[in-house]
Amino acid sequence: MYVLTLKNRLNEFRAVQRLRELGLLDEGLLPLVEVVKKDVAFDKLVDPSTGEYVKVNKPYKSGKRKGQPRMCTVDDLETERDVTLDNISDAFAGKKVLVDFFRCYMPKYKGADPSKCKLVLKMSNDLAFYEEAVKRLADYRDLIPVISVIDELSNLSPKSLEALILELRKTSSNKPVAIRISTYEGYEHILSDLLGPDDYLIYDINETPPASRIEEFDELADLHIAAHSVLLCSPRKRDDGNKVYEDGCFIDNSHIRDFSEYGFEGVGDYAGLRDSLPPRPGAGATGRALALFYDGSSNTFKRYINPDVKKGQSGYDDVVKQILADRGELERRAGECAVLSEIADHAAAGNYGGWQTWIVYTVVRYVQQLYLAHGNSYNL
């Protein structure tokens, strides 16, 4: 079982759409969506005297038609509604999805902009608000609630966790529950006694190397937890800029190979991305254009980089040239690749993509390679 871990952001969901088009949302892939923002929708404002939609002139902001007028409908702000969970359910089209209202210890996310992380901060610091959000998942048949226990946050004690699990059992007795936790200590009773064979234990070691936790994994196995067990890792360091890959930084992806030896039934990661939150203003204006191409046959990444920091995302023209020059070798080693074909097609039209495009490419390439390297399955 492979647990594809993504945040509910535009480009990560674009990657999901592409994976669905490619038939790669297979039975053995279980998505874990970290909710880091609220999605809202509105009805359109109607003129009561005519019954027609209200329209205003909003010039194009960019592209060849920049500055040219266009008539646009207007949102009726009084009809605002939260469609976060609807969007997740729709994105995966009836597939079971683990949903985690993301909580964290913010000092670990040094470059994050708190003004862009309001929902994460609220979920982290207001336990009653968090618990109500988790309970809302009972209304969605295919969305599985994830309860996150964060070491540095003391507001979800073992007693509170037990009470929340029992409350979920009352409202949706047949629905699985997942607990995401980074250490079992203090929660042994809950993990052993309250989790059944349909539930999930997501053991989140984040950026720590799995090999450094072997003794802990052995102790966890001694608890004989009935739930499906998943080792969740984030092998790309969130604080590493692209320069580290110019210097030959190695990504330890050993969790994909070794998780079953550690006693876990499944494994999860961020599909070549970092576990990051929105950065402060100005971040990303410059930097080295980077492409990380995962090779499922060797469980390694090959990096292509433009060292010119001043070019920023416009440096992807050179990155794409490097990749296409290497295309024959990439296909020989790792087989077919939907991303390579898209890159070549777009490059022929003079489009090399930017930071956001390469988020999609990284995820799609990674997941397709995992699938192909394991006999067209996610039986890793």
Side-chain angles (χ1 to χ4, degrees):
M1 173 174 50
Y2 173 61
V3 176
L4 170 62
T5 308
L6 301 170
K7 293 177 171 61
N8 69 323
R9 296 184 288 215
L10 176 62
N11 293 292
E12 282 153 274
F13 270 36
R14 282 177 175 165
V16 170
Q17 179 180 352
R18 190 70 186 103
L19 291 172
R20 188 168 65 187
E21 292 168 352
L22 292 167
L24 291 171
L25 295 183
D26 191 80
E27 183 179 343
L29 182 148
L30 179 62
L32 167 58
V33 176
E34 299 175 341
V35 177
V36 296
K37 66 181 183 66
K38 178 181 176 180
D39 295 335
V40 297
F42 304 88
D43 294 336
K44 295 301 180 181
L45 189 63
V46 175
D47 185 333
S49 63
T50 65
E52 301 291 332
Y53 288 127
V54 175
K55 294 185 178 181
V56 297
N57 181 14
K58 289 186 177 180
Y60 288 93
K61 293 182 178 180
S62 60
K64 295 180 179 178
R65 301 176 70 181
K66 183 177 180 180
Q68 295 181 22
R70 61 172 176 169
M71 299 303 293
C72 300
T73 56
V74 178
D75 291 333
D76 182 350
L77 300 184
E78 293 184 359
T79 65
E80 178 181 325
R81 57 193 179 277
D82 186 340
V83 294
T84 307
L85 297 180
D86 297 289
N87 288 349
I88 294 171
S89 182
D90 292 345
F92 291 95
K95 186 175 178 62
K96 298 289 185 184
V97 183
L98 296 163
V99 177
D100 182 5
F101 287 97
F102 194 69
R103 309 168 75 230
C104 69
Y105 181 59
M106 283 299 292
K108 285 187 174 181
Y109 295 78
K110 297 176 183 177
D113 183 350
S115 69
K116 299 177 183 177
C117 303
K118 292 179 180 178
L119 183 63
V120 172
L121 289 168
K122 183 76 170 174
M123 291 292 177
S124 301
N125 299 319
D126 187 335
L127 183 59
F129 180 80
Y130 173 71
E131 289 178 333
E132 287 305 310
V134 172
K135 291 175 188 176
R136 289 205 309 272
L137 289 162
D139 297 332
Y140 294 82
R141 183 186 63 185
D142 298 317
L143 304 186
I144 301 171
V146 177
I147 308 172
S148 288
V149 180
I150 309 299
D151 284 352
E152 297 86 354
L153 303 179
S154 59
N155 55 7
L156 189 56
S157 64
K159 184 177 179 180
S160 298
L161 176 58
E162 181 174 359
L164 180 54
I165 293 172
L166 294 177
E167 181 68 22
L168 291 172
R169 299 289 194 213
K170 286 181 184 178
T171 55
S172 49
S173 58
N174 296 324
K175 176 175 282 194
V177 171
I179 295 178
R180 179 175 180 173
I181 198 166
S182 58
T183 178
Y184 66 85
E185 293 182 0
Y187 295 87
E188 294 92 338
H189 152 66
I190 294 171
L191 301 180
S192 297
D193 298 344
L194 295 187
L195 292 183
D198 294 327
D199 297 320
Y200 294 86
L201 168 64
I202 303 169
Y203 210 70
D204 183 4
I205 65 170
N206 208 259
E207 296 181 352
T208 58
S212 68
R213 309 278 290 262
I214 292 178
E215 184 176 345
E216 180 182 342
F217 297 154
D218 290 341
E219 295 168 354
L220 183 67
D222 290 339
L223 297 178
H224 302 290
I225 298 166
H228 302 290
S229 59
V230 176
L231 178 64
L232 181 60
C233 306
S234 180
R236 279 188 69 187
K237 303 294 188 290
R238 69 178 65 89
D239 293 331
D240 281 350
N242 289 353
K243 184 180 186 305
V244 301
Y245 300 102
E246 183 183 0
D247 297 337
C249 176
F250 170 73
I251 299 174
D252 178 7
N253 222 49
S254 61
H255 60 284
I256 290 293
R257 181 191 65 231
D258 299 336
F259 73 94
S260 59
E261 295 181 14
Y262 299 143
F264 293 91
E265 180 183 343
V267 64
D269 56 30
Y270 292 86
L273 303 181
R274 292 176 292 186
D275 169 24
S276 62
L277 290 173
R280 293 185 177 89
T286 60
R288 296 162 179 80
L290 171 72
L292 292 173
F293 261 56
Y294 179 65
D295 182 335
S297 62
S298 62
N299 192 32
T300 58
F301 290 88
K302 185 165 186 178
R303 61 110 179 100
Y304 301 90
I305 192 166
N306 186 332
D308 188 346
V309 68
K310 293 181 180 179
K311 291 194 71 174
Q313 60 185 345
S314 65
Y316 274 110
D317 57 352
D318 179 63
V319 170
V320 167
K321 291 173 184 175
Q322 296 176 43
I323 292 170
L324 294 181
D326 208 18
R327 184 175 184 177
E329 178 64 13
L330 286 169
E331 291 179 333
R332 185 188 69 78
R333 287 181 55 83
E336 63 181 285
C337 176
V339 167
L340 271 175
S341 299
E342 289 182 30
I343 290 171
D345 290 344
H346 290 152
N351 183 2
Y352 304 101
W355 308 127
Q356 306 307 317
T357 311
W358 286 85
I359 289 173
V360 180
Y361 286 163
T362 300
V363 172
V364 174
R365 165 79 184 189
Y366 186 93
V367 174
Q368 186 178 37
Q369 280 292 298
L370 271 185
Y371 184 76
L372 294 174
H374 295 88
N376 292 349
S377 78
Y378 297 105
N379 296 321
L380 309 185

